[in-house]
Amino acid sequence: MEASSGLEFPPGFELGVATSSWQIEGDVAGRGRCNWDDFTEIPGAIVDGATGEPACDHVHRLEEDLDLLEWLDVDAYRFSFSWPRVMPEGVGATSPAGLDFYDRLIDGLLARGIRPVATLFHWDLPSPLEQAGGWPERDTAYRFAHYADAVAQRYADRVDRWATLNEPWCSAFLGYSSGYFAPGRREPGASLAAAYHLILGHGLAVERMRAAGARNVGIVLNLIPVLTDDSTMDDAVRHVDGLQNRIFLDLLAGRGIPADMRESCSSVTDWSFVRENDNAVLGTPIDWLGENYYSPMRIAAPDGTDADVIGQDTAAFPACPPLRFAPRPPFTDMGWEIDPEAMELALRKATDHLPGVPLWICENGAAVAEETDATGIHDPIRTQYIHDHLRALLRSRDRGFDVRGYYAWSLLDNLEWASGWTKKFGIVRVDPDTGTRTPKDSAHWYREVLASRP
Ligand code: IFM
């Protein structure tokens, strides 16, 4: 595909790639344990039995990965700090070796002219905090703010933009309601408390980080448009949309838990963890909002069948009414429907709830089929996917949405959580046995897109 086809970026529009700590770092011995390390020990939790070691061995291959980013010539690199690498017990002393690693990462980016964009929590919770109850406990929010403060004190002078959390929906509802993610608990009431305390931790962290000098502090959500063409499912859509999207947006807007969700989840929680005077902290103004967009969700009446869609599961939606997820082709390997145009519905939702807050697409990409031959690794579906989403995003921008950047997910093939190595999102292949990095066709294409800007 022509690199430039239909893609005209406004001046200053930021293009980058993203990764996360547990998915790429490896070097488990060099940090404290986390919830995902513990989760990998549950038989069957990770489909192929993969663990956090070696992942992409990024800690030991840092220079090589920095050079890859330089070769791509991205404007910005979005990575996450591993809480247990910075603070092995989750509280108390920081690790000099852990801090040194992130110094080298950040300084290496800056030396190559790449803006560091950092997330504080991309799901890897220190094991002692998970064992103490994890996010359903209010105390975890305070521990998070303490960790955020330590990180901001050290790196505020060099990090361009910060996200407190990545996709708190996944931590809360896949972690504590469906149990598909770490820690594997199936307690719908606890998952609602987790969602609330994640945003409380975010609000507390924003205050502490700003006090430590951090600029551009925001959060990254996975807002998902919930669609149906069956009007009998309107109430089911309201419920799923409430848990996937509105609960987070209303908390961030300082409005508390939406009234209809208080009612429709009353069979699984008495909401006694909610404190009305939290709203100011929960709604601490943010400088920007990240959206991770991959797919819409489509809902239909139950008919006894279930589509195989990773993450779309009624067990992840506490007090879920009868429904089924009914994605339409084309699908990625995750079973996710491909629909670039629906991305605008997510942008609209964000803008309606948090007017005036600029938006970044912080993740977008696809696990898809690839073919390898002597000429390279051919992944035309991924290239098309990224191209079509970029084009849709630029159109949304023309229609007035204040979108300022886009990050492809992901730089590297990596540990796709419960799917292990079986789903590949990288624009660069990582051989799971040797760690060898090989740019795929999509990486070459993205590089040309980056270079072809005026
Ligand atoms: O790999 C994940 C990432 O960690 C969070 N967002 C979705 C990606 C693909 O599932």
Side-chain angles (χ1 to χ4, degrees), residues 23 122-123 166-167 294 334 336 363 409 416-417 425:
Q23 293 180 275
H122 195 127
W123 309 350
N166 179 72
E167 301 182 13
Y294 292 89
M334 302 290 276
W336 296 346
E363 288 180 24
W409 183 269
E416 178 52 27
W417 306 108
F425 278 88

Side-chain angles (χ1 to χ4, degrees), residues 73-372:
D73 205 11
V74 286
D75 303 326
Y77 173 57
R78 175 176 177 248
F79 66 96
S80 77
F81 285 93
S82 156
W83 186 344
R85 189 175 299 285
V86 170
M87 209 174 254
E89 295 301 313
V91 293
T94 51
S95 152
L99 294 174
D100 173 67
F101 169 70
Y102 293 111
D103 275 329
R104 285 187 286 117
L105 167 58
I106 292 167
D107 292 344
L109 291 169
L110 292 172
R112 290 165 174 81
I114 299 169
R115 290 193 281 276
V117 175
T119 302
L120 286 172
F121 181 70
H122 195 127
W123 309 350
D124 37 1
L125 186 68
S127 297
L129 297 183
E130 194 69 76
Q131 283 150 15
W135 288 106
E137 295 300 318
R138 189 175 174 94
D139 195 50
T140 305
Y142 294 99
R143 303 283 75 84
F144 178 65
H146 171 71
Y147 152 67
D149 178 51
V151 177
Q153 295 278 356
R154 176 100 175 191
Y155 306 103
D157 58 334
R158 286 164 287 163
V159 168
D160 198 65
R161 213 143 36 75
W162 296 88
T164 52
L165 308 176
N166 179 72
E167 301 182 13
W169 180 86
C170 297
S171 305
F173 296 116
L174 296 179
Y176 299 97
S177 186
S178 70
Y180 179 62
F181 274 7
R185 283 167 60 181
R186 296 189 183 142
E187 300 164 47
S191 73
L192 291 162
Y196 184 83
H197 294 141
L198 279 152
I199 302 301
L200 182 67
H202 149 85
L204 293 164
V206 174
E207 287 178 358
R208 300 276 295 265
M209 293 168 74
R210 285 197 178 125
R215 52 210 150 93
N216 300 328
V217 188
I219 184 170
V220 177
L221 303 179
N222 55 332
L223 303 171
I224 304 187
V226 187
L227 312 174
T228 191
D229 49 18
D230 176 351
S231 61
T232 68
M233 299 309 290
D234 287 350
D235 196 53
V237 167
R238 177 199 56 75
H239 185 88
V240 170
D241 176 53
L243 291 170
Q244 181 74 49
N245 304 317
R246 287 184 293 115
I247 203 168
F248 296 102
L249 290 168
D250 274 6
L251 288 172
L252 291 170
R255 286 195 286 269
I257 303 282
D260 66 305
M261 297 317 296
R262 285 196 184 220
E263 178 58 29
S264 61
C265 293
S266 58
S267 61
V268 296
T269 181
D270 61 6
W271 298 101
S272 55
F273 52 85
V274 171
R275 299 193 191 163
E276 298 308 330
N277 59 5
D278 283 342
N279 280 354
V281 175
L282 290 156
T284 303
I286 49 177
D287 299 311
W288 65 283
L289 180 74
E291 155 66 357
N292 292 349
Y293 178 80
Y294 292 89
S295 174
M297 245 176 210
R298 212 174 274 282
I299 280 178
D303 66 356
T305 64
D306 261 332
D308 190 11
V309 205
I310 290 184
Q312 297 187 15
D313 171 5
T314 54
F317 295 90
C320 198
L323 61 86
R324 80 188 150 91
F325 292 99
R328 293 182 184 157
F331 305 123
T332 68
D333 285 358
M334 302 290 276
W336 296 346
E337 175 173 340
I338 301 176
D339 185 352
E341 300 306 323
M343 181 164 51
E344 186 166 308
L345 301 174
L347 301 177
R348 184 178 300 286
K349 207 165 262 296
T351 304
D352 286 351
H353 283 75
L354 297 166
V357 176
L359 304 169
W360 266 257
I361 293 294
C362 281
E363 288 180 24
N364 174 251
V368 289
E370 306 167 354
E371 273 181 26
T372 305

